[in-house]
Amino acid sequence: QVQLIESGGDVVRAGGSLRLSCATSGRPSGYNYAWFRQAPGKDREFVARITWTNSVENYANSVKDRFAIARENAKNTVYLQMNSLKPEDTAVYFCAAGWRSGISVSDFVYWGRGTQVTVSS
C-alpha cells in the first residue's frame, strides 16, 4: 500500500511557475506515478506520468513542453514542475500511483487528497 501527500499548490499569475511535490510512504517502489487535475465542474484529467521502469515520461498535449514530471527515489518524492502557467491550468492537482500501463483514472489505485493551483490572468 502507498500513501501520497501533495504540496506546493498556490496562487500564481499567468506566465509564472510552480513546483508540486508528492511525498510517498508505505511501499512506494515498483509503481508508476502520475499527476491528474480536476477543475470545477469538469472530470479529472491526466496531466503527466513517470513509469517505474526506465522512468518513461508521458504528458497530456495541453501541458507538453510546459510541465515536467520527475521522481527522486532517495526522497520518495515525485515532482511536477509547471512553467508558463495559464489560467486554464487552474485546478486541484492529484498525485496517483498504480501498476497498470494505461493513463486513465481507473489505471491508478492510490490517490492523494490534492493541492489547489490557481492561475490568475
Side-chain angles (χ1 to χ4, degrees):
Q1 193 168 359
V2 180
Q3 293 79 45
L4 307 171
I5 300 177
E6 303 94 337
S7 62
D10 205 345
V11 178
V12 63
R13 300 186 74 167
S17 298
L18 278 178
R19 188 177 78 161
L20 305 183
S21 299
C22 173
T24 70
S25 61
R27 303 183 69 177
S29 298
Y31 292 96
N32 300 325
Y33 287 89
W35 288 93
F36 286 77
R37 66 187 182 186
Q38 188 166 17
K42 294 188 176 181
D43 292 335
R44 192 168 297 189
E45 65 173 3
F46 168 77
V47 174
R49 180 190 67 173
I50 186 166
T51 63
W52 182 260
T53 304
N54 298 325
S55 297
V56 175
E57 300 171 22
N58 302 98
Y59 296 93
N61 288 333
S62 58
V63 307
K64 199 172 294 182
D65 299 326
R66 297 189 299 123
F67 290 12
I69 189 171
R71 187 182 68 223
E72 188 170 357
N73 292 341
K75 294 186 176 181
N76 289 328
T77 302
V78 179
Y79 302 99
L80 183 68
Q81 177 66 44
M82 306 186 295
N83 300 322
S84 301
L85 282 161
K86 304 175 181 180
E88 51 263 43
D89 294 318
T90 295
V92 177
Y93 283 72
F94 297 90
C95 181
W99 55 82
R100 295 182 181 175
S101 60
I103 56 173
S104 62
V105 170
S106 61
D107 290 311
F108 294 86
V109 295
Y110 300 111
W111 292 84
R113 294 187 176 183
T115 185
Q116 176 71 46
V117 172
T118 302
V119 184
S120 62
S121 57

